[in-house]
Structure formats: C-alpha cells, structure tokens
Amino acid sequence: MTEEQLLAFLQDNKDDIAASVKAKAIEAMTQDLKWHLPDAVTKAVAAFFEAEIVPEIQKHLADQKGPIVAASIKAASQIGDKVAEALVEKAVESMSGYRSGEVIKALMGVR
C-alpha cells in the first residue's frame, strides 16, 4: 500500500475510524472506573469516618466513661460469683453421684 492509498483509505473510512476510537475510549474509561472508583469511594469513606465520625464517638464514650467503668466493675465482680457457682455445682454433682456415700461418711467423720 502506497502513502497515497493509505491516505485515501483513511479519508474514506474516517467516520468509521473515529467511531471505533470513541467506542474503545469509552470502554477503556468504563473499565478504569470499574476498577478504580470502588477504591476511591472506600478511601473517601474511610477518610470521612476518621475525620468526622471517630471524634464524635470518642466524645460520646468520654461522656459515658463513668457508666462504662461502673458496668465493667460490676461485670468483673460477678466473675467470682460465677466461678463459685460452677464449683458448687460440681461439688453437688460429686455428692449426689456414686461417691455420695463416701462424701457423707467423710463429713460425719465415719471411717
């Protein structure tokens, strides 16, 4: 193909070539957005939460510090009670099971 033939071909098909280039460019941009837009949105949301939401939550937690500490202390104090309940339950199981006779004799001082 000579230079003149190539120029003639391009001139004759310029509308088709332009439409094809436009379609390919649109497709490339669409694919780029599909891959990069979610990441950009995620980064924007994370930045917003860091800048706007986290400080508000920290303020609210600071305002509720007393009740949170009180609830934590109450929960911690109940741990001992729950352990004691479990130990008593285990002891009762042992006493009412096959060893109950041995336990009663030991309590009564009978050998």
Side-chain angles (χ1 to χ4, degrees), residues 64-81:
Q64 298 299 315
K65 180 180 177 180
I68 290 170
V69 169
S72 298
I73 290 170
K74 182 179 178 185
S77 68
Q78 291 176 1
I79 292 172
D81 294 340

Side-chain angles (χ1 to χ4, degrees), residues 101-111:
E102 294 173 24
V103 172
I104 292 172
K105 286 179 186 177
L107 289 173
M108 304 279 249
V110 178
R111 294 190 186 251

